[in-house]
Amino acid sequence: MAVLYVVGTPIGNLGDITYRAVETLKNVDYIAAEDTRHTLQLLNHFEIKKPLISCRAQNEQYAGEKIVKLLEEGHDVAYASDAGTPGVSDPGEVLVDIVRDAGFNVVPIPGPAAFATLVSVAGSGGKTLIFEGFLSVKPGKRRSRLRELMETGNAVVIYESPFRIVKLLTDIADIESNRRIVVGRELTKLHEEITSGTAQELLEDYSSRQSVKGEFAVFISGVKNIKNSDESADN
């Protein structure tokens, strides 16, 4: 029976792709992609030539039905979002549901994810971590949800654009200026930058910059995790 492979791809550094991901992309009959132009660059780098199918958030239902027909014809298909792991703040979950409901196997090919990359160097992760992805662009909803997340006492990871990173840091500092956070900018890429400090310190840092570019992942430490770390140090 034909299979849909959900393939994790690099979030920036092409060297982070796995051997298994490359072999899967080489061996399938078709490759579905969130942005065929973006994925084509990846395929060209590894000298892979396969028919491409557009499968983005705006046409995921239609593309999913098209992919099911290919599977019914016996063709294996791989799906890759623009960067990272599909379904993690990227399209993919609708496609997976459609394919699985049609009776076909869906096989994960693990790969990079910005939130896991940041957590690995953030420290104070604790046992519980909330991955929120992108918050609402509406200020009221963003602040309300952010307050709810921080009040859980658990560590939280949020994605943000360069256009709203200062607003996000402002909201975090307004809620708790001394909360420790770690900001990852352009993770794994040439201009990667990882900064840590209190919410107020990082707000002052980014507010003073003439321009802010890149994609962001923000780790907000949990008060439960900090307390547990302090208790362990005392013992």
Side-chain angles (χ1 to χ4, degrees), residues 124-182:
S124 302
K127 292 184 178 181
T128 303
L129 172 69
I130 300 173
F131 171 64
E132 181 71 7
F134 288 96
L135 293 169
S136 172
V137 298
K138 297 181 178 180
K141 287 187 176 181
R142 183 180 66 245
R143 285 193 295 268
S144 176
R145 179 56 179 160
L146 186 58
R147 185 178 295 277
E148 289 177 356
L149 292 168
M150 293 177 65
E151 287 179 349
T152 67
N154 296 309
V156 181
V157 175
I158 294 169
Y159 289 166
E160 192 52 275
S161 75
F163 310 107
R164 290 187 297 274
I165 185 63
V166 172
K167 293 179 181 178
L168 173 64
L169 294 176
T170 299
D171 289 340
I172 297 173
D174 285 346
I175 295 170
E176 189 176 336
S177 61
N178 289 324
R179 182 74 70 96
R180 177 180 174 273
I181 64 175
V182 181

Side-chain angles (χ1 to χ4, degrees), residues 52-122:
L52 291 170
I53 303 167
S54 172
C55 183
R56 57 192 190 280
Q58 294 81 359
N59 75 337
E60 198 168 353
Q61 180 70 37
Y62 170 78
E65 294 169 357
K66 183 176 180 180
I67 289 168
V68 166
K69 290 182 180 179
L70 292 173
L71 295 169
E72 290 173 343
E73 294 171 0
H75 300 293
D76 288 333
V77 180
Y79 177 67
S81 54
D82 283 356
T85 302
V88 182
S89 284
D90 273 339
E93 59 185 57
V94 173
L95 172 62
V96 167
D97 284 342
I98 293 171
V99 169
R100 186 170 285 124
D101 287 346
F104 292 94
N105 289 333
V106 180
V107 176
I109 307 297
F115 85 89
T117 302
L118 183 61
V119 169
S120 72
V121 295

Side-chain angles (χ1 to χ4, degrees), residues 3-32:
V3 173
L4 171 67
Y5 295 94
V6 178
V7 183
T9 56
I11 59 176
N13 191 319
L14 294 181
D16 290 336
I17 198 167
T18 67
Y19 288 114
R20 189 180 177 203
V22 172
E23 289 303 307
T24 298
L25 294 172
K26 286 181 177 179
N27 292 330
V28 295
D29 302 303
Y30 291 86
I31 297 175

